[in-house]
Amino acid sequence: MDTVVQLTGVSRSYRTGGRETVALDDVSLDVAAGEFVAVMGVTGSGKSTLLHCAAGLERPSAGTVRLVGRDLGRLGEAARTRLRRDSVGVVFQSYNLLSELTVAQNVLLPQRLGGPRARPLAEVLASVGLAGTEQRPVGELSGGQRQRVAVARALAADPAVVFADEPTGALDPTTGAQVVGLLRTAVDTRAVAVVLVTHDPRVAAASDRLVLLHAGALVSDGPTPDVAAIAEQLAAVSGAPQAASR
Ligand SMILES: Nc1ncnc2c1ncn2[C@@H]1O[C@H](COP(=O)(O)OP(=O)(O)OP(=O)(O)O)[C@@H](O)[C@H]1O
Ligand SMILES: [Mg+2]
């Protein structure tokens, strides 16, 4: 099995105003190529912190993170940036696009910044349902279209892993399902690993494996069940009352 993300005993705490918050508490997690992992947990449970540490955007307070076999803690800032650029795609809730630039310019931005050669632009855009939109300014697109551009950018250079933090959070359910479908297709056809944070059991249902966090700790890790069972598992580990079932 080809492990592309490996967290071993990762903790992350923040010190603010003399108080310490443990955002991530001794989390170990291996993700293989071609695996689609959904991460869920109540607000503040550490999901974004986990993603940021795994993607090398934030340094853990303890533990090690390996990306495509390289220990991030042993790399200098420049080497980490290069590794991220070459092997990692990210998709955030807020799209993180430059709205004055065109679709083509946004998708090819990592390459312009020295990143690896992207797949042919027309092919990448067609794969996310945006054929022919190359020259449109991103500022003129709908939220769903923008998120497709962000997915296209994340996938353009064939990364080993894509980290997505609530990529459907700002979208209606139908559009959200389409965006998650794009990630699912990338997993199935290109063996990309995807680690996706979501609050929506319907979105998580597209994954192969469900990881639940509570108070910074990994409290459950197993095959993704159906939507109803996802909601039940989530409620159970979060200590929240379960929705009444009849
Ligand atoms: N930069 C920071 N400084 C201080 N505390 C932080 C910082 N980032 C996160 N935290 C704290 O760490 C904990 C985990 O935050 P995190 O953003 O990972 O949660 P989350 O599960 O992504 O929540 P949400 O579902 O609301 O996005 C929270 O208690 C949060 O307040
Ligand atoms: Mg978050």
Side-chain angles (χ1 to χ4, degrees), residues 14 16 21 23 41-49 166 199:
Y14 297 103
T16 39
T21 307
V42 293
T43 184
S45 57
K47 304 179 298 296
S48 294
T49 306
E166 299 191 48
H199 284 285

Side-chain angles (χ1 to χ4, degrees), residues 118-131 134 152 155-156 158 190:
R119 286 154 56 202
L121 181 64
E123 176 197 314
V124 175
L125 289 180
S127 76
V128 298
L130 286 178
E134 283 86 343
L155 292 172
D158 256 333
R190 311 190 75 87

Side-chain angles (χ1 to χ4, degrees), residues 26-246:
D26 194 18
V27 168
S28 296
L29 177 70
D30 286 10
V31 181
E35 194 170 32
F36 190 154
V37 181
V39 179
M40 301 185 84
V42 293
T43 184
S45 57
K47 304 179 298 296
S48 294
T49 306
L50 170 67
L51 220 64
H52 293 163
C53 288
L57 295 167
E58 224 172 281
R59 284 182 187 275
S61 313
T64 58
V65 178
R66 285 176 170 275
L67 270 184
V68 292
R70 315 264 315 265
D71 182 346
L72 293 183
R74 291 177 180 274
L75 300 179
E77 207 57 56
R80 282 156 58 94
T81 303
R82 239 181 353 258
L83 180 62
R84 266 207 315 273
R85 193 189 65 191
D86 295 350
S87 305
V88 175
V90 290
V91 184
F92 293 118
Q93 180 173 12
S94 57
Y95 319 129
N96 272 56
L97 301 171
L98 299 170
S99 47
E100 330 66 77
L101 300 186
T102 64
V103 168
Q105 288 167 331
N106 269 282
V107 172
L108 297 176
L109 195 61
Q111 195 185 8
R112 287 283 301 276
L113 298 175
R117 174 182 283 278
R119 286 154 56 202
L121 181 64
E123 176 197 314
V124 175
L125 289 180
S127 76
V128 298
L130 286 178
T133 63
E134 283 86 343
Q135 301 314 321
R136 292 192 65 186
V138 158
E140 291 178 4
L141 301 181
S142 71
Q145 289 170 325
R146 283 179 209 210
Q147 198 57 299
R148 286 166 185 268
V149 175
V151 171
R153 184 181 58 187
L155 292 172
D158 256 333
V161 55
V162 171
F163 294 102
D165 198 350
E166 299 191 48
T168 62
L171 305 177
D172 67 79
T174 307
T175 312
Q178 289 167 350
V179 167
V180 176
L182 300 174
L183 295 174
R184 181 72 247 179
T185 302
V187 170
D188 293 339
T189 62
R190 311 190 75 87
V192 178
V194 170
V195 182
L196 166 119
V197 168
T198 182
H199 284 285
D200 187 342
R202 290 164 303 179
V203 168
S207 67
D208 305 311
R209 179 175 164 198
L210 178 65
V211 164
L212 301 176
L213 294 182
H214 185 63
L218 196 160
V219 290
S220 169
D221 182 355
T224 305
D226 65 22
V227 176
I230 293 171
E232 275 169 30
Q233 281 191 17
L234 186 61
V237 304
S238 306
Q242 287 190 25
S245 53
R246 270 156 287 119

